[in-house]
Amino acid sequence: MLLPLSERTKNLISKLENFMDDFVYPNEQLFDQQIKEMENRWTIPSIIEELKEKAKQAGLWNLFVPREYGEGLSNYEYAHLCEIMGRSLLAPELFNCNAPDTGNMEVLMKYGNDEQKKQWLDPLLEGNIRSCFTMTEPQVASSDATNIQSHIVRDGDEYVINAKKWWSTGAVDTRCEIAIFMGKTDPTGPRHEQQSMVLVPMNTPGVKIIRPLTVFGYDHAPHGHAEIHFENVRVPITNLLYKEGKGFEIAQARLGPGRIHHCMRAIGAAERALELLCKRASGRVAFGSPLAEKGVIREIIAESRIEIEQARLLTLHAANKMDQEGAKSARKEIAMIKIVAPRVSLNVIDRAIQVFGGAGVSEDFPLAAHWANARTLRIVDGPDQVHLRDIGRLELRNY
């Protein structure tokens, strides 16, 4: 069932929808144009900073901050805002609600000490710097965090880090100043207590960005996804997050809310695709009548509406259960939405692309980029098969 929303949340929804209409959608093509005109694609287009200031002035800043850290929102409340932001790939950063920074900030809020918060969390909350999360490795199946092979070796008052990482989102961004690094401090310890997380400034000697990676041909400039090598990187032991051996625990805590955010944004992308589909079908004539009058088009519109409503209800249910009982109790529900939301988003976007024809796979409309993003979500934060395995195992416990 849908729970009632507070007046504050309703007000934020209204303000966010208006901001999207007034400033985000009209500037999507300008953003793309500015990127193309940059000598360095990893330089931040001026429209980004302009819109960030407008968002701050509108009171639409740091909307992700959890309720336990001040006057934040519950996961259920914030989920509604995520859906709206998910309608545009440009939007989340404008409100300082973009991955991986939100997850990194939540980690610092929960596990960082006062000095780490002052040095890194405060400027991240202000939107003055960006961060990346370096966990995935090219040589192992990183969906199983216990596979991580990176070395974090204590040497006096320093840690020495050696590793090859990739898919570090945001690392190519010229504003990225800090990485949360996951590696093994005790390879012989209990399976889930071998890993630790360490803060590594990006300007530390030995941190080398090897290349930006593409997603179905998209480089996602100016943020990108980097392959990074850490070669004898030294950081003080005070850069440790929480305690040695708690890296796996931190990673699990980080992923719970993040999956809600990803799924609701995917639903927002599906909603926008359906909206574009309906407008296109109403204004496009083929074989003597508007597309919207053809039975096959009405069927795919109906299927899309049904799937979106189902995915939204399941995701909001998972968010509420996490609010009420914690991420561990909501593990099955979170795994289910991680399967359902990207699938639904892909289905709806694919139908919209089909109705748009050649235009659907072009840069003139956002459908192709949203499709690529939704397809990637079936791998991000664990592939479908991992979540299906967990759902099946948890279901079998009932019997």
Side-chain angles (χ1 to χ4, degrees), residues 318-331 333-334:
N320 182 56
K321 186 165 184 178
M322 188 160 63
D323 285 333
Q324 302 302 320
E325 303 177 30
K328 188 173 183 179
S329 294
R331 182 178 175 184
E333 287 75 13
I334 293 170

Side-chain angles (χ1 to χ4, degrees), residues 29 359 361-366:
Q29 290 190 342
V361 296
S362 75
E363 293 183 339
D364 292 357
F365 297 92

Side-chain angles (χ1 to χ4, degrees), residues 114-375:
D114 290 343
E115 184 177 340
Q116 291 167 348
K117 291 177 181 178
K118 182 178 180 180
Q119 186 174 5
W120 303 115
L121 176 59
D122 290 352
L124 281 168
L125 287 169
E126 288 298 318
N128 294 330
I129 67 171
R130 288 202 60 165
S131 63
C132 64
F133 187 72
T134 56
M135 174 178 167
T136 307
E137 299 178 4
Q139 303 302 325
V140 299
S142 303
S143 56
D144 178 0
T146 63
N147 279 341
I148 298 299
Q149 298 299 306
S150 303
H151 298 297
I152 304 175
V153 179
R154 178 79 177 263
D155 182 18
D157 292 333
E158 294 181 318
Y159 286 118
V160 181
I161 297 171
N162 282 282
K164 292 182 179 180
K165 300 284 190 179
W166 70 343
W167 296 113
S168 298
T169 299
V172 197
D173 192 316
T174 55
R175 301 164 300 172
C176 183
E177 294 190 12
I178 187 67
I180 295 181
F181 178 94
M182 184 170 179
K184 287 188 176 180
T185 46
D186 183 8
T188 62
R191 189 163 178 257
H192 294 95
E193 297 178 10
Q194 299 176 3
Q195 308 82 13
S196 299
M197 287 195 187
V198 178
L199 294 168
V200 180
M202 293 297 287
N203 62 0
T204 306
V207 177
K208 299 179 180 179
I209 295 181
I210 303 302
R211 57 174 175 148
L213 304 165
T214 59
V215 179
F216 293 105
Y218 293 95
D219 63 7
H220 291 164
H223 310 305
H225 317 274
E227 178 177 348
I228 311 175
H229 292 182
F230 297 79
E231 299 176 0
N232 294 318
V233 173
R234 288 180 172 268
V235 296
I237 59 172
T238 52
N239 283 26
L240 177 71
L241 274 170
Y242 191 30
K243 300 176 182 177
E244 285 192 4
K246 298 298 182 182
F248 188 88
E249 176 185 323
I250 297 172
Q252 291 302 110
R254 184 183 186 278
L255 288 174
R259 285 169 178 156
I260 300 288
H261 305 170
H262 277 315
C263 290
M264 287 305 289
R265 284 194 292 260
I267 292 165
E271 275 286 6
R272 189 172 184 197
L274 180 56
E275 177 184 306
L276 291 169
L277 189 164
C278 290
K279 290 179 178 178
R280 182 79 166 189
S282 298
R284 202 77 166 177
V285 174
F287 304 104
S289 63
L291 292 176
E293 294 183 6
K294 303 185 187 303
V296 66
I297 299 298
R298 294 185 177 183
E299 283 185 16
I300 65 172
I301 290 171
E303 294 285 0
S304 297
R305 171 51 60 205
I306 291 167
E307 291 175 5
I308 289 172
E309 295 299 327
Q310 290 174 328
R312 180 187 293 112
L313 285 170
L314 183 58
T315 306
L316 291 175
H317 168 63
N320 182 56
K321 186 165 184 178
M322 188 160 63
D323 285 333
Q324 302 302 320
E325 303 177 30
K328 188 173 183 179
S329 294
R331 182 178 175 184
K332 183 167 69 173
E333 287 75 13
I334 293 170
M336 287 193 289
I337 64 171
K338 187 60 176 59
I339 297 290
V340 169
R343 283 184 179 179
V344 166
S345 192
L346 281 168
N347 287 344
V348 178
I349 296 167
D350 187 69
R351 293 169 189 144
I353 288 173
Q354 197 70 11
V355 170
F356 270 74
V361 296
S362 75
E363 293 183 339
D364 292 357
F365 297 92
L367 296 170
H370 275 293
W371 188 93
N373 188 64
R375 182 60 186 85

